[in-house]
Amino acid sequence: MAHTKSSILWGIAGSIGIAIIFYLLQVLGMQDWMAPIDFSIDKWYFIAPLVIGFGIQMGLFRAIHLKSGKGKGVIAASGGVSSGAMLACCMHNLVLFLPILGLSGAAVFFATYQNYVFGISILFVLGGIAYMWKQYKKLHSCCEK
């Protein structure tokens, strides 16, 4: 029971953490404290699955880690996709900084294809959850015997 509670807390903390990172990236790009909230309300159907998916991955990571002491590479890969997806969708908001980095074309691309990037990112997050769930079930069935 303590392991389950710990995994749930890790999942909640992961969701809150990625939401805060997303918000701060938006603030940095939009240079406004309220604009990211408006953006999140407009695109909630893309943002919510990414935030919740990352939390699920964190919970599964914790469960895998508690069972086996392994799993760091799995969460780094699948969690990195969630974080990268959110960063990618924020790229158009960082237009002021991208020319300095030589990435002004990236800002235009991500602004134009933002919904597609979100959609593909959600697919990657779902794939990461499926993979981690498979690893957890394999570990769980192995240890029950």
Side-chain angles (χ1 to χ4, degrees):
M1 185 65 169
H3 292 309
T4 303
K5 192 180 229 181
S6 174
S7 297
I8 291 170
L9 289 175
W10 269 63
I12 292 169
S15 289
I16 291 170
I18 198 75
I20 290 170
I21 290 169
F22 177 70
Y23 175 76
L24 292 175
L25 280 171
Q26 290 283 341
V27 166
L28 178 67
M30 294 179 181
Q31 299 178 352
D32 184 2
W33 291 101
M34 289 305 294
I37 294 170
D38 294 334
F39 177 80
S40 295
I41 291 170
D42 287 343
K43 300 287 185 175
W44 70 267
Y45 47 89
F46 286 127
I47 296 168
L50 290 172
V51 169
I52 293 167
F54 186 78
I56 291 170
Q57 290 174 359
M58 287 297 293
L60 285 170
F61 161 74
R62 182 66 176 165
I64 291 168
H65 185 72
L66 289 172
K67 275 277 193 202
S68 70
K70 298 178 183 173
K72 291 182 177 95
V74 174
I75 193 66
S78 57
V81 170
S82 300
S83 304
M86 289 199 170
L87 178 61
C89 84
C90 299
M91 291 293 279
H92 72 281
N93 293 316
L94 302 175
V95 173
L96 300 172
F97 306 107
L98 292 177
I100 297 168
L101 302 172
L103 298 172
S104 54
V108 174
F109 173 83
F110 287 115
T112 304
Y113 298 106
Q114 182 182 61
N115 288 348
Y116 295 107
V117 171
F118 266 133
I120 291 167
S121 300
I122 290 170
L123 291 176
F124 274 103
V125 168
L126 291 173
I129 291 170
Y131 175 76
M132 291 179 76
W133 180 253
K134 183 179 173 184
Q135 296 298 347
Y136 173 75
K137 292 304 280 181
K138 186 162 87 175
L139 183 66
H140 195 68
S141 66
C142 165
C143 296
E144 283 184 351
K145 294 179 182 177

